[in-house]
């Protein structure tokens, strides 16, 4: 059951914070109720809802005008703020209802030309529907239960059984001007209704106040949930999507995900006539998903379509199914199913292109949702956010299909409508407006990720679009560092000196993101002491961390690279100690010298597989290796200030962690460079490599 989250004190606090302008106060309530709607993912899923409010504002001449504030493109309801509800002059929008027809492009242009702020985001594509309804507050949601109801074979009869005449029914029409006109006509014929249900699409409520409309959202949704639970084979459980992500079985994930990811990456590259383009994966597991994947009609359901038309933009209209027989065939079976999906998608596109008379360019033909028997459901996207959105929608779709099939059947829009939505110019424009960053789709693992250099490097890759995994032995520091990067960063807590730790870390990354593209092997510690006096255990422990952990990570990463079969990168933090030893640092320099050789050896062994191996020699970086106390003592021993000690190089400038990160990034971008080590020390002739 949906929880009513309205809180008068919180609502009033929003109003008071908005100032004395009545319009701003009304908008504040709109923001508040939008956010509590968005806080329940089972009400609105990734673009699956929008809200509006009508108010009055003075123009530049002091004249009062009617204004519609409606959710803008690029904003989500759960994080909505006032700028995400652009104001549009209402009178011109209402005039548009007199038109017989209106193209999508003219509709968008008309809406933008009537914005109060020309820099505001595009108003929702359903702005006119909000405008044509007479109510002050309007809420549009895509609740899981309503999607199951709206896609039943005889949805109208079920709606009448549940609501009588409380809800008016709007037939399926693609979002835009025609839908807005039809919805307004349906309301005019049923002016006492509490809301609208758009078949195959979603649910509208409205009211004079924010709370009135919101209360209807919750009450209506709970009625549908109760009805679905009462049907034959119905179930009663909490429908809320589980965002506390669990990881799939490690062994199965390791054997399936990198192979699947590699096949899709190569398919994307071939589509663009370029090198492979990696994707990010997001796997969802759980009892409900396990039960769904054991259905005997899974293959047939995978071809039915989507729970709501706009989902097709993120998930495509069909799902790829990998059954146990496919998995038993290993790489060949998985790759064959990916190619089969691509061929079917191309055939669908060609047929639809003839129907619409051309003018469309085929999208990448890979699956965006995969159902894997025994493993889970996989969302696939160009980056971690897109993969997460696809997985969220896929998880909701499992619920919608399960509920719908138990209540009479899941029958979404037909293939023609599905194609029209997937290739709708307005939706495509929203997804294509931002150019991809250089490392979009790539998965990067950074060992020693909570340290200064590791974190600076991880943040640099994240800024350039990568999904990032931080590996560190310190739980608190690792998790805090991951949080500082964002939701698309995974914290992996392991001690890399322990046997099997590297395999465990890489397996966890594969379980979370589907594979690995770049390993930044950065973990290390400067063990000090004169070699002839140092006990053997200390020296061996230094080798475990400063050499063998790098080798173990390289081996684990190489196995994933081989499964993906589209190359990869290894970047090692070697240290200037490898070539310019310091007194008392032999226990650190010896394993680092071995790691220096490891770079060259791995480059030799892995080059034929397209794996590039490079390193960075850094010196005097403030980090866990070079603390303030250590810097002070070294400076005193040389009779200089700490700042002069840190700038003791040819450039007379301190080298910072982000400079090392820049070097790692430069190597990562150097597509024809391998077996190379960059020195980052401000200039130290004794440590120069050539």
């Amino acid at each position: 059951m949906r929880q009513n989250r309205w809180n008068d004190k919180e609502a009033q606090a929003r109003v008071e914070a908005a100032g004395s302008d009545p319009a701003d106060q009304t908008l504040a309530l709109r923001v508040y109720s939008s956010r509590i709607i968005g806080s329940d993912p089972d009400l609105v899923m990734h673009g699956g809802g929008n809200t509006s409010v009508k108010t009055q504002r003075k123009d530049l001449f002091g004249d009062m005008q009617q204004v519609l504030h409606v959710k803008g493109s690029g904003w989500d309801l759960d994080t909505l703020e006032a700028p995400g509800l652009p104001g549009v002059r209402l009178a011109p929008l209402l005039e548009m209802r007199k038109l017989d027809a209106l193209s999508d492009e003219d509709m968008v242009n008309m809406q933008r030309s009537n914005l109060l702020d020309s820099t505001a985001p595009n108003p929702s594509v359903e702005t006119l529907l909000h405008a044509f309804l007479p109510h002050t507050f309007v809420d549009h949601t895509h609740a899981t239960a309503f999607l199951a109801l709206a896609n039943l074979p005889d949805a109208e009869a079920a709606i009448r059984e549940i609501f009588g005449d409380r809800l008016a029914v709007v037939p399926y029409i693609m979002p835009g001007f025609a839908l807005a006109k039809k919805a307004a006509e349906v309301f005019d014929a049923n002016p006492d209704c509490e809301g609208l249900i758009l078949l195959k699409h979603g649910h509208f409520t409205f009211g004079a106040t924010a709370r009135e409309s919101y209360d209807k959202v919750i009450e209506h949704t709970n009625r549908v949930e109760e009805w679905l639970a009462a049907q034959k084979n119905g179930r009663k459980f909490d429908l809320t999507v589980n965002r506390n992500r669990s990881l799939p079985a490690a062994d199965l994930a390791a054997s399936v995900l990198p192979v699947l990811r590699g096949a899709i990456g190569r398919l994307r590259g071939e589509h663009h006539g370029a090198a492979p383009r990696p994707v990010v994966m997001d796997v969802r597991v759980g009892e409900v998903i396990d039960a769904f994947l054991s259905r005997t009609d899974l293959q047939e359901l995978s071809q039915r379509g989507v729970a709501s038309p706009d989902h097709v933009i993120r998930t495509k209209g069909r799902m790829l199914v990998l059954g146990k027989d496919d998995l038993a065939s290993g790489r060949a079976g998985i790759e064959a199913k990916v190619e089969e999906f691509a061929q079917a998608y191309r055939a669908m596109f060609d047929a639809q292109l003839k129907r619409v008379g051309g003018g469309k360019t085929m999208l990448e033909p890979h699956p965006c949702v995969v159902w894997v028997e025994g493993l889970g459901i996989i969302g696939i996207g160009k980056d971690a956010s897109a993969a997460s959105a696809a997985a969220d929608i896929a998880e909701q779709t499992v619920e919608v299909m399960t509920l719908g099939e138990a209540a009479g059947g899941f029958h979404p829009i037909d293939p023609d409508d599905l194609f029209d939505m997937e290739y709708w110019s307005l939706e495509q424009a929203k997804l294509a407006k931002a150019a991809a960053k250089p490392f979009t789709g790539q998965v990067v693992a950074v060992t020693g990720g909570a340290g200064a250099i590791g974190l600076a490097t991880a943040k640099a890759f994240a800024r350039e679009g990568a999904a990032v995994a931080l590996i560190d032995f310190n739980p608190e520091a690792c998790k805090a560092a991951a949080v500082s990067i964002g939701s698309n960063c995974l914290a992996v807590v392991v001690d890399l000196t322990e046997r099997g730790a590297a395999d465990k870390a890489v397996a966890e990354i594969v379980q979370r993101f589907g594979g690995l593209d770049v390993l930044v092997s950065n973990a290390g510690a400067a063990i000090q002491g004169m070699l002839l006096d140092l006990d053997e255990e200390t020296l061996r422990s230094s080798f475990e961390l400063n050499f063998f952990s790098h080798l173990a990570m390289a081996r684990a990463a190489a196995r994933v690279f081989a499964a993906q079969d589209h190359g990869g990168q290894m970047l090692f933090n070697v240290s200037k100690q490898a070539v310019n030893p310091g007194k008392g640092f032999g226990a650190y320099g010896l394993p680092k010298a071995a790691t220096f050789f490891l770079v060259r050896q791995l480059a030799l062994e892995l080059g034929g597989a397209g794996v590039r191996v490079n390193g960075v020699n850094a010196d005097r970086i403030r980090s866990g290796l070079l603390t303030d106390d250590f810097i002070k003592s070294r400076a005193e021993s040389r009779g200089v200030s700490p700042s002069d000690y840190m700038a003791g190089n040819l450039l007379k400038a301190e080298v910072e962690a982000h400079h090392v990160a820049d070097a790692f990034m430069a190597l990562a971008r150097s597509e024809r460079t391998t077996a190379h080590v960059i020195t980052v020390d401000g200039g130290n002739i004794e440590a120069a490599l050539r």
Side-chain angles (χ1 to χ4, degrees), residues 426-571:
L426 297 186
E427 286 292 348
Q428 290 302 305
K430 287 199 297 186
L431 293 185
K433 63 183 178 181
K437 295 179 179 179
F439 290 92
T440 295
Q442 298 201 37
V443 179
V444 178
V446 183
T447 71
I453 293 174
L455 184 55
T457 302
K459 287 182 175 180
F461 274 106
R463 283 194 298 270
E464 295 300 326
V468 176
L470 296 181
I471 304 171
D472 205 283
F473 75 98
N474 185 316
E476 292 76 18
C478 188
K479 292 172 184 176
V483 168
S484 74
I485 292 177
S487 60
N488 293 329
C489 182
L490 173 68
V492 181
V493 180
V494 295
D495 182 346
L496 290 175
T497 64
E498 295 180 354
R499 188 176 298 275
D503 291 328
K504 179 180 180 296
V506 171
E508 193 169 330
I509 295 167
V510 169
Q511 288 170 286
R512 174 64 180 84
F513 294 123
L516 180 64
D517 300 288
V518 181
L519 166 64
V520 182
S521 197
N522 166 73
I527 309 298
Q528 299 179 56
M530 303 297 285
L531 273 182
L532 299 182
D533 300 328
L534 204 64
D535 65 87
E536 185 174 331
E537 183 178 348
T538 300
L539 181 58
R540 288 183 180 277
S541 69
S542 181
F543 266 88
E544 288 293 339
L545 176 58
N546 293 306
F547 172 71
F548 283 109
S549 73
H550 296 281
L551 176 60
M553 284 299 302
R555 286 172 168 168
R559 285 191 285 272
V560 176
F561 294 166
Q564 293 170 163
D565 193 24
H566 58 55
Q569 290 194 65
M570 297 181 186
L571 301 168

Side-chain angles (χ1 to χ4, degrees), residues 89-100:
R89 296 174 185 86
L90 184 58
L93 300 184
L94 296 178
E95 283 293 306
M96 293 165 70
R97 189 177 174 185
K98 299 176 182 177
L99 299 173
D100 293 326

Side-chain angles (χ1 to χ4, degrees), residues 287-530:
E287 291 182 8
V288 172
I289 291 171
D290 288 343
F292 179 80
L293 293 177
S294 67
R295 295 179 66 109
T296 58
D297 59 349
L298 203 61
Q299 187 63 47
E300 194 271 333
L301 279 175
S302 73
Q303 304 302 301
R304 290 272 188 92
V306 293
S308 181
D310 50 344
H311 288 177
V312 72
I313 305 300
R314 297 183 182 272
T315 68
K316 285 193 166 60
R318 305 289 183 264
M319 293 75 179
L320 171 63
V321 179
L322 293 177
K324 290 182 178 178
D325 290 343
D326 302 312
L327 302 182
S329 299
R331 175 187 293 276
I334 294 171
E335 291 179 343
K337 290 303 290 279
V338 171
E339 181 56 31
E340 180 184 310
F341 183 98
Q343 290 177 359
Y345 187 88
R346 295 184 190 110
M348 176 277 297
F349 178 83
D350 290 342
Q352 290 288 347
L353 198 63
K354 292 179 182 178
R355 178 182 67 86
V356 300
K360 305 289 184 182
T361 300
M362 188 175 70
L363 301 172
E364 295 174 344
H366 65 83
C368 292
V369 174
V370 183
W371 296 343
V372 184
E373 191 174 356
L375 178 65
I377 56 177
I378 306 171
I380 297 168
K382 65 179 182 179
D383 55 29
S385 295
S388 178
D392 283 347
I393 291 170
E395 197 166 2
Q396 185 188 37
T397 301
V398 163
E399 296 284 16
V400 172
M401 287 181 169
T402 301
L403 292 168
E405 286 293 287
F410 171 72
H411 296 278
I413 58 175
D414 63 39
D416 290 351
D417 289 326
L418 196 63
F419 178 86
D420 291 343
M421 193 69 193
E422 184 175 5
Y423 283 84
W424 187 21
S425 59
L426 297 186
E427 286 292 348
Q428 290 302 305
K430 287 199 297 186
L431 293 185
K433 63 183 178 181
K437 295 179 179 179
F439 290 92
T440 295
Q442 298 201 37
V443 179
V444 178
V446 183
T447 71
I453 293 174
L455 184 55
T457 302
K459 287 182 175 180
F461 274 106
R463 283 194 298 270
E464 295 300 326
V468 176
L470 296 181
I471 304 171
D472 205 283
F473 75 98
N474 185 316
E476 292 76 18
C478 188
K479 292 172 184 176
V483 168
S484 74
I485 292 177
S487 60
N488 293 329
C489 182
L490 173 68
V492 181
V493 180
V494 295
D495 182 346
L496 290 175
T497 64
E498 295 180 354
R499 188 176 298 275
D503 291 328
K504 179 180 180 296
V506 171
E508 193 169 330
I509 295 167
V510 169
Q511 288 170 286
R512 174 64 180 84
F513 294 123
L516 180 64
D517 300 288
V518 181
L519 166 64
V520 182
S521 197
N522 166 73
I527 309 298
Q528 299 179 56
M530 303 297 285

